[in-house]
Structure formats: C-alpha cells, structure tokens
Amino acid sequence: MTAFFAFTDASEKEFIIQLVDEQRIAEARRILSGEEKMSVHVMGRIMKTPMPYNPGWNFHLDPETISFFTQAIEVCDASIMYVQDHLDEACGAFLPGCMWCPWSSRLTREIIP
C-alpha cells in the first residue's frame, strides 16, 4: 500500500511525502481527521534526490523512515526552504544522520492520484 500526503511548515511551502507502511498511513489519516492531536509533526531521513511526486524540491524523505512526533531534538529542526538551500551541508553537522524533523510541520492533505 502506498499513499501520499502533503505537509507545510511555518513558511507555508508544501512538501509531499510517500508513506508505504499501513500503520503510518492510518496514523496520517488520524492526524488529518483531528483524532490524533499530539504526534502530528513529520520526521524522517532525507535523501538528496528529487522525486516526481514532490516537485520543486531536490530532496525527499525516505518512506521507510517517516514517522510523526510530538517533540524532537533541536538538531534535526529546519524549514523546508532552509534544507533546500543548504542541501549540500545536510547529513553532516547540519541534520546529522540525515534526520530531519521540522518542528512547525503539519499535515495538510492526502493526495489522491
């Protein structure tokens, strides 16, 4: 099973993620319905390659690593645009381990193909 969801951050830029795990897909749908109110922010490992489902960005989140969180460590927080602008620095001192957890992220919609 595969599903696509959009999220935005404080900048209101939209970023598309692909979910492949049924539990994560159900969790994302609970977030969108308002049923889940705590773990609503997106986290995952960035991959420095563009994907057709996420136009305009030179990176995507590895679907196998995506989860939702309530709170996370500061070192993985950055806006979508900041990651894009500093992608060459990502996975070192900036976003160690390629883990990205934008604190202001919020799911906005499911994308139905």
Side-chain angles (χ1 to χ4, degrees):
M1 178 174 229
T2 297
F4 297 91
F5 294 86
F7 76 83
T8 61
D9 63 11
S11 72
E12 297 300 318
K13 300 285 185 193
E14 186 172 72
F15 194 88
I16 310 298
I17 58 172
Q18 177 184 16
L19 296 178
V20 294
D21 178 84
E22 287 187 41
Q23 182 179 340
R24 291 285 178 253
I25 293 168
E27 192 175 356
R29 289 176 177 152
R30 283 194 307 277
I31 292 167
L32 288 175
S33 75
E35 183 182 337
E36 174 59 56
K37 295 178 184 347
M38 297 296 292
S39 296
V40 298
H41 306 291
V42 179
M43 137 185 292
R45 180 168 281 117
I46 64 167
M47 306 296 289
K48 297 181 181 186
T49 54
M51 290 303 272
Y53 62 77
N54 190 27
W57 306 108
N58 293 325
F59 68 103
H60 69 283
L61 285 179
D62 176 354
E64 298 290 334
T65 67
I66 296 171
S67 61
F68 301 99
F69 71 96
T70 303
Q71 294 182 328
I73 58 173
E74 189 172 341
V75 72
C76 65
D77 181 33
S79 71
I80 299 167
M81 201 69 217
Y82 193 89
V83 175
Q84 175 73 25
D85 291 345
H86 297 88
L87 195 54
D88 57 334
E89 302 165 35
C91 304
F94 173 55
L95 302 181
C98 296
M99 288 307 292
W100 180 41
C101 61
W103 289 359
S104 65
S105 61
R106 67 183 193 290
L107 286 183
T108 55
R109 64 190 177 106
E110 181 172 358
I111 297 164
I112 309 296

